Amino acid sequence: MAEITKDMTIGQALQISPAIAPVLLEIGMHCLGCPSAQGETLEEAAMVHGLDADELMAKIREVL
């Protein structure tokens, strides 16, 4: 399995592991299928939602 990194788009990360969807939904990223998910990185999305990108990545690693 490829590694998920914070510079990947939300869409790329979900393609690698759909299991991260609940983590993203839990922190308020409800637009997993919208166009912004295809162009916004996990790091950018974390910033928009007022989260630390490294904390988000730690949560994602917990479900992988």
Side-chain angles (χ1 to χ4, degrees):
M1 177 187 296
E3 181 182 355
I4 295 176
T5 62
K6 62 186 172 185
D7 63 336
M8 289 182 161
T9 66
I10 297 167
Q12 289 170 326
L14 287 167
Q15 284 181 337
I16 291 171
S17 179
I20 69 166
V23 173
L24 300 177
L25 292 170
E26 179 182 303
I27 61 172
M29 294 183 191
H30 298 117
C31 192
L32 302 182
C34 70
S36 66
Q38 302 309 311
E40 189 172 61
T41 66
L42 290 168
E43 185 171 35
E44 291 167 337
M47 184 180 64
V48 167
H49 288 88
L51 305 167
D52 179 87
D54 293 326
E55 288 179 22
L56 172 59
M57 296 310 298
K59 288 180 185 240
I60 287 173
R61 283 190 292 277
E62 289 176 8
V63 299
L64 296 178

